[in-house]
Amino acid sequence: MQLADFIAGSVGDFPNGLTARDNLGIAKTGAFGVAVGHPLDTVKVKMQTQRKFTGVWQCIRTTCRTEGMYGFYKGMSMPITTVSVSSSVVFGTYRNALQVFHQLSFKSADAPSAKWHIFLSGLAGGIAQVSVMSPADIVKVCLQCQTEPYEGSDLKARPKYRGPVHCLFTIAREEGVLGLYRGAGALALRDGPSFATYFLVYNTVCEWLSPDNNSQPVGKKPDWKVVMFAGGLSGMCGWCIGTPMDVIKARLQTDGMDKRRYRGLLHCIRESVRIEGPGVLFKGLALNCIRAFPVNMAVFVMYELVLSLIRTES
């Protein structure tokens, strides 16, 4: 098992000479990426789940007017506290699955991985993270869509969820622990194909833009400019694949905040397309792509950097 890949994905331990200061700086980069991208994520989620928002600027203006700047940062604490774990699961599962495929194909250690091995390993990584990501994600989405304290004339009205921890325990109390996995099927259908595309595009672009092209051996890292471009582009491609299920996931997660509308994943897809047309499945795609390039550029730079540090020291 390639433990280094789990560590590089999470940057949550201090392995083989990495100091607390180094690790803290890398971890802050992940949190910084979440903080920068969260306002756009909030706008995207609101557009996907609430029909009163007809456009990006209208959603931004309405949120700013009714909720203030705080409205753009609701639920941010959950992805910040879980980004390390979820990244660890994704990258660690991906690299270890890739190693298994490599061994089963009886290739030499320096032979490049087959494209379908990369695709299936990314698929495994995306699905694996659902187990740790789903509870945090449903809390984030519910808080992002909660506007009760700011709308209406009743100043004494209290929100259903008073914070991330209260939201987590309220959902668990009302629906059981499985309630925290509402929409997990759609999340798996989003992240599995999305991360499969993500890693496939990243590796393919790195091969195309590297001097040695397809002859680049395993373990040799591409130039940092290539890593940045490939990481950003792979993030955008991943969201192009994942946005339809992202819409369905968000709707299933917020279903029941006022009343139940959907009986399940397929019913949610049918009703959404019937009422709003096929274009509803791509709500928020532009925002996802705008946010994806800089965030995933930073993710892959940090991953390659920490992985090279760990392996150099070991």
Side-chain angles (χ1 to χ4, degrees):
M1 176 177 287
Q2 296 188 17
L3 183 60
D5 294 288
F6 282 99
I7 295 170
S10 66
V11 288
D13 196 2
F14 310 143
N16 299 315
L18 283 181
T19 67
R21 182 179 178 181
D22 295 331
N23 215 52
L24 181 61
I26 296 169
K28 281 182 177 179
T29 301
F32 178 75
V34 171
V36 170
H38 195 79
L40 288 178
D41 183 71
T42 298
V43 173
K44 176 208 71 172
V45 169
K46 289 188 174 190
M47 290 180 59
Q48 289 176 338
T49 58
Q50 301 176 38
R51 294 171 192 162
K52 65 182 180 180
F53 297 119
T54 57
V56 174
W57 292 113
Q58 185 251 351
C59 181
I60 292 174
R61 287 195 302 268
T62 302
T63 302
C64 194
R65 185 178 65 251
T66 58
E67 303 175 55
M69 290 303 296
Y70 167 74
F72 294 103
Y73 290 92
K74 285 181 177 178
M76 187 177 70
S77 61
M78 292 306 293
I80 282 182
T81 55
T82 58
V83 64
S84 180
V85 177
S86 61
S87 295
S88 172
V89 172
V90 170
F91 280 89
T93 302
Y94 163 73
R95 291 291 299 181
N96 282 279
L98 201 59
Q99 183 186 40
V100 170
F101 281 125
H102 202 77
Q103 292 173 345
L104 291 176
S105 62
F106 300 104
K107 290 184 176 180
S108 65
D110 291 336
S113 298
K115 293 295 186 288
W116 69 276
H117 289 168
I118 296 171
F119 184 87
L120 291 179
S121 298
L123 184 73
I127 294 175
Q129 78 155 351
V130 172
S131 60
V132 296
M133 184 179 178
S134 185
D137 194 60
I138 192 172
V139 169
K140 175 188 76 74
V141 170
C142 286
L143 290 174
Q144 286 174 319
C145 294
Q146 179 176 258
T147 58
E148 287 87 340
Y150 305 94
E151 294 181 349
S153 58
D154 186 3
L155 297 179
K156 296 182 180 180
R158 297 182 64 185
K160 181 177 182 180
Y161 306 121
R162 297 193 296 271
V165 176
H166 180 257
C167 180
L168 187 75
F169 282 104
T170 300
I171 294 173
R173 185 179 66 250
E174 293 178 351
E175 305 178 43
V177 176
L178 290 180
L180 297 173
Y181 289 87
R182 191 188 338 131
L187 182 60
L189 290 173
R190 182 196 76 174
D191 285 353
S194 180
F195 275 104
T197 304
Y198 183 63
F199 286 111
L200 180 60
V201 171
Y202 175 75
N203 281 273
T204 301
V205 172
C206 283
E207 283 185 0
W208 286 349
L209 298 181
S210 294
D212 295 332
N213 206 7
N214 294 331
S215 62
Q216 180 175 319
V218 174
K220 183 177 179 180
K221 302 304 176 188
D223 183 75
W224 291 114
K225 292 180 182 178
V226 174
V227 170
M228 293 169 68
F229 176 74
L233 183 63
S234 65
M236 294 177 67
C237 292
W239 274 115
C240 288
I241 299 297
T243 294
M245 279 298 109
D246 187 49
V247 175
I248 301 304
K249 176 216 51 117
R251 294 189 171 202
L252 289 172
Q253 288 175 329
T254 56
D255 192 34
M257 288 185 68
D258 47 5
K259 63 179 181 179
R260 291 286 183 186
R261 293 189 178 91
Y262 309 117
R263 296 192 296 270
L265 182 116
L266 293 178
H267 183 253
C268 181
I269 296 174
R270 285 198 305 269
E271 286 299 296
S272 297
V273 172
R274 181 180 66 83
I275 296 172
E276 301 174 63
V280 68
L281 298 177
F282 293 93
K283 273 190 172 182
L285 175 59
L287 288 174
N288 279 334
C289 289
I290 291 172
R291 183 168 56 97
F293 195 93
V295 170
N296 289 283
M297 178 178 67
V299 165
F300 269 108
V301 167
M302 281 296 120
Y303 175 74
E304 296 284 7
L305 175 62
V306 177
L307 198 59
S308 63
L309 288 173
I310 293 170
R311 287 174 173 169
T312 300
E313 293 294 332
S314 60

